[in-house]
Amino acid sequence: MKILFLLTCLSLTLTNSKLMAQSRTAPDMEQLYTEANSSYRKFESIHGGYVQTDNVLMHYLCWGNPKNTPLIWSHGSFSHSYELADLARLLTDGGYYLIAVDYYGHGQTPVPEKEVSLYNSADDIRVLMDSLKIDQAIIGGFSRGGYIAAAFYQSYPERVKALILEDGGSVAFNTFNHRMSEEALEIKIKSMAPEQGVSSIYEASFDSPAAAYQSLYDKSAGGLQFELLNIVKRKGNQWITYAGLNDFFCMKDDQQFKSLVLKPNNSPLYGASITMVQPKIIFRNLHIPLLILDPVADHDPMPFEKDNIALANQFPGLITRIEFAGIEHNIHYEKPAQFSQELLKFLGIVQKQGLSFSKKK
């Protein structure tokens, strides 16, 4: 799916969810929804939570022992807090307390009524840390979530023990766009129009949560896929998934994207704010370990390889850059085993450096 290069593939099955075997016959969708809804509610009762910030009532998930090293993760665009659910057991067994947020318009976190930016999302994470009595944490994110992680480090450097950036947040958003020729950029802008059928998946409204769930259900994968219910939310008398989110990102069509690239200050603040995260400025005095997970492919929508290498060479004692050849963007989805291996290796190095993770009293 080519819809806007910050979209991320949704992981439609949880490794630790073996509640229903895949059937060779057409599934009973009504029964599936009933069972999925029950499993989702049970899962949320164990792992889910909400925190009221100055901006929004934010939903989040937690796995593991709160006494262990906290790792706070921000997902990519059109994903949600279940993004690393497949890896939660691996991380918690490794001695980490995994916390994953839903930022604005994703999962069960609504879009605020007031104007906000990615830096407000960073503020929300700080409020969450305070509510959980976490003084310092490892902060990570994928794609747009990586930019939120970088914005958090810029805003609250004393609260960060290490950073993990998966193809986002290490290089300014418009870097590659502004290096392109006018002709090449115009072709790219025109290509940003959503593919036919995308609107029926993400922009549609439904008469019931069951119908919304069924619209997202992947019959080829089987199972309950109960995590899909995290992106089903009520709007008036209807139920939606991500209706309106592209507009919130200022990326619903080629004209919005063109404005975001060429005249970002004319765009609404949340959309424009991703262009305001300037890693060269943020990391000029880097003093903590940073892991850059860098996908490199012929058709990479965010070809930041040279910039990431330059940044890593600037701080050889602090920055670890791992290249994933042949991957265009979504590493944790396409290469989960290698992603997990490199993540745990980096976390182990951070721990060996003797960094202490403290809790607020």
Side-chain angles (χ1 to χ4, degrees):
M1 186 177 293
K2 295 180 182 178
I3 175 175
L4 309 178
F5 60 72
L6 281 185
L7 291 187
T8 181
C9 299
L10 289 175
S11 177
L12 295 176
T13 54
L14 294 177
T15 299
N16 61 354
S17 177
K18 299 180 180 178
L19 300 176
M20 183 173 181
Q22 181 175 356
S23 172
R24 295 183 179 179
T25 60
D28 182 339
M29 294 306 299
E30 290 186 7
Q31 181 62 28
L32 270 176
Y33 169 74
T34 299
E35 295 183 27
N37 189 44
S38 176
S39 294
Y40 173 69
R41 293 180 181 278
K42 181 178 180 180
F43 188 90
E44 284 287 326
S45 69
I46 298 172
H47 300 282
Y50 290 85
V51 61
Q52 182 65 59
T53 75
D54 291 338
N55 307 303
V56 76
L57 181 64
M58 183 173 71
H59 173 257
Y60 65 94
L61 296 173
C62 294
W63 292 267
N65 188 340
K67 295 181 179 180
N68 288 340
T69 302
L71 167 58
I72 301 176
W73 187 261
S74 295
H75 56 79
S77 303
F78 285 76
S79 185
H80 54 125
S81 53
Y82 284 71
E83 185 170 87
L84 294 189
D86 288 354
L87 308 179
R89 180 65 180 273
L90 186 66
L91 289 168
T92 56
D93 284 351
Y96 301 95
Y97 181 44
L98 177 61
I99 305 163
V101 303
D102 282 327
Y103 54 82
Y104 309 139
H106 293 78
Q108 294 302 307
T109 300
V111 172
E113 295 182 1
K114 66 178 184 179
E115 192 173 49
V116 289
S117 73
L118 263 68
Y119 285 88
N120 291 109
S121 294
D123 295 339
D124 295 339
I125 292 174
R126 191 266 305 166
V127 173
L128 174 61
M129 290 177 67
D130 289 346
S131 71
L132 296 178
K133 301 187 184 305
I134 295 172
D135 186 41
Q136 297 171 312
I138 299 170
I139 305 294
F142 164 56
S143 193
R144 188 179 298 268
Y147 286 94
I148 292 174
F152 184 90
Y153 177 68
Q154 182 179 15
S155 303
Y156 308 102
E158 74 283 356
R159 308 294 294 268
V160 184
K161 281 297 186 181
L163 274 172
I164 300 168
L165 303 178
E166 180 188 355
D167 206 22
S170 58
V171 181
F173 176 84
N174 267 330
T175 297
F176 181 67
N177 296 325
H178 289 176
R179 288 174 180 166
M180 300 174 73
S181 67
E182 291 184 11
E183 294 78 11
L185 181 58
E186 190 64 30
I187 291 173
K188 178 177 181 178
I189 288 171
K190 290 181 178 179
S191 73
M192 300 313 293
E195 286 186 349
Q196 188 176 11
V198 167
S199 293
S200 64
I201 297 175
Y202 292 116
E203 292 292 334
S205 297
F206 304 90
D207 292 332
S208 69
Y213 163 80
Q214 291 168 20
S215 75
L216 297 172
Y217 184 84
D218 183 1
K219 292 181 180 180
S220 67
L224 291 184
Q225 301 175 36
F226 67 83
E227 72 278 12
L228 293 176
L229 289 169
N230 192 52
I231 65 174
V232 175
K233 56 186 73 68
R234 189 162 195 161
K235 185 176 182 181
N237 295 325
Q238 295 286 297
W239 297 83
I240 63 171
T241 56
Y242 286 129
L245 194 54
N246 271 327
D247 195 28
F248 183 58
F249 287 162
C250 306
M251 288 179 157
K252 74 174 181 180
D253 54 35
D254 58 339
Q255 291 305 306
Q256 277 196 345
F257 181 69
K258 183 176 183 178
S259 180
L260 188 64
V261 171
L262 300 179
K263 298 180 179 180
N265 287 345
N266 289 342
S267 299
L269 183 58
Y270 194 82
S273 65
I274 195 171
T275 71
M276 300 173 185
V277 180
Q278 296 294 329
K280 285 186 177 180
I281 296 175
I282 295 171
F283 300 133
R284 69 191 186 282
N285 296 317
L286 184 71
H287 65 278
I288 60 169
L290 166 59
L291 174 64
I292 298 175
L293 300 169
D294 194 3
V296 177
D298 292 339
H299 302 289
D300 189 345
M302 299 174 72
F304 294 154
E305 174 186 2
K306 292 182 179 179
D307 297 274
N308 281 327
I309 291 173
L311 182 61
N313 288 339
Q314 186 178 351
F315 299 96
L318 291 174
I319 297 180
T320 301
R321 174 187 170 270
I322 304 297
E323 182 173 309
F324 291 78
I327 304 300
E328 291 188 3
H329 189 42
N330 194 331
I331 300 169
H332 68 269
Y333 181 78
E334 296 190 44
K335 294 287 184 180
Q338 187 181 356
F339 175 88
S340 304
Q341 180 182 9
E342 297 297 346
L343 188 61
L344 288 173
K345 185 186 300 183
F346 173 76
L347 292 172
I349 292 173
V350 172
Q351 294 288 56
K352 286 180 180 179
Q353 290 180 347
L355 299 176
S356 60
F357 293 81
S358 57
K359 305 278 289 185
K360 281 183 173 292
K361 296 181 180 180

